[in-house]
Amino acid sequence: MNSGLLLSRWGRKLGKRLMKPRLSPMPEEDPRRWNIVRGDLVEVIQGHSLGQKGKVLSVIRDSARIVVDGVNMRSRNIKPKQDGTPGKKIMRPSALHYSNVMLIDPTTGKPTKTSRRFLEDGTKVRVSKATGQVIPKPDPLVDRNPRSVVVGSKDTAPADVFQVTFLDYAKYLPYIYATENAASELD
């Protein structure tokens, strides 16, 4: 090793880092195995929001976090816009780690561990370990906002959708709907 590295401060730091054994990473839990989905009622079991209950607004599986309505509120600053709208401060729920919350048992109203079981008809369900009751999965489409059906200035008018604007449409029609083999036969 170069003696200049050992004399300088950053060289000593680098040498220590290179000599440390590399630890194997902790195995992460499979995000597909989560029992918590959007729309569930959960209670915080750890952290500064301990004991608060709320509905799951979103699940972020990549970072193993969830956003719960009314829990872990943080203030966010909205910048003023150029059209003159003033800026403001809003309170918004922030993400929690999924291990800090537990599902609420529908019969007792208390947090419970869950397991997965199969019913007689073969459907997989979540079951409370405390009471043995089935915890139903919420409907994912209940809280979705419907798409806007108002036609804007940049939308294509319904009458113009079926109008053919390609001049040689009839000439290239066999090529458009043909497979690769049939297209090579047409040439």
Side-chain angles (χ1 to χ4, degrees):
M1 192 183 252
N2 190 352
S3 61
L5 287 176
L6 295 175
L7 296 177
S8 66
R9 183 174 176 206
W10 67 269
R12 287 191 302 270
K13 270 185 156 178
L14 177 66
K16 283 182 184 177
R17 200 174 328 144
L18 289 174
M19 299 304 263
K20 272 188 183 174
R22 207 175 261 182
L23 299 174
S24 63
M26 292 287 290
E28 292 187 17
E29 188 159 333
D30 189 5
R32 293 170 298 186
R33 299 271 308 156
W34 285 14
N35 284 323
I36 299 172
V37 294
R38 193 173 53 118
D40 276 332
L41 288 174
V42 294
E43 183 175 334
V44 180
I45 58 166
Q46 199 172 16
H48 70 277
S49 302
L50 179 70
Q52 292 184 359
K53 296 180 181 180
K55 187 172 160 185
V56 176
L57 297 177
S58 67
V59 177
I60 310 163
R61 292 180 186 260
D62 294 338
S63 57
R65 301 180 85 76
I66 62 171
V67 178
V68 182
D69 188 24
V71 176
N72 198 19
M73 300 297 281
R74 300 278 189 252
S75 63
R76 303 283 187 218
N77 294 323
I78 308 291
K79 289 185 177 181
K81 296 183 180 174
Q82 287 186 349
D83 63 354
T85 308
K88 57 185 173 181
K89 233 181 198 183
I90 60 166
M91 294 296 283
R92 202 170 74 184
S94 187
L96 292 164
H97 196 266
Y98 82 99
S99 65
N100 294 339
V101 297
M102 282 181 106
L103 278 173
I104 293 179
D105 191 337
T107 55
T108 63
K110 294 182 179 177
T112 180
K113 291 183 178 181
T114 58
S115 64
R116 294 179 181 187
R117 300 225 175 100
F118 290 95
L119 296 177
E120 291 82 24
D121 61 349
T123 57
K124 186 166 35 170
V125 293
R126 303 177 296 176
V127 177
S128 167
K129 285 192 174 182
T131 60
Q133 294 292 324
V134 173
I135 301 174
K137 278 200 174 183
D139 185 18
L141 301 177
V142 168
D143 295 331
R144 293 268 170 123
N145 294 333
R147 277 189 181 170
S148 174
V149 292
V150 178
V151 177
S153 61
K154 296 192 176 188
D155 291 330
T156 306
D160 295 339
V161 170
F162 296 107
Q163 180 182 357
V164 177
T165 56
F166 182 51
L167 298 176
D168 295 332
Y169 180 74
K171 178 181 173 185
Y172 290 104
L173 192 61
Y175 295 102
I176 294 172
Y177 294 107
T179 60
E180 288 183 20
N181 297 336
S184 62
E185 291 173 4
L186 291 173
D187 288 333

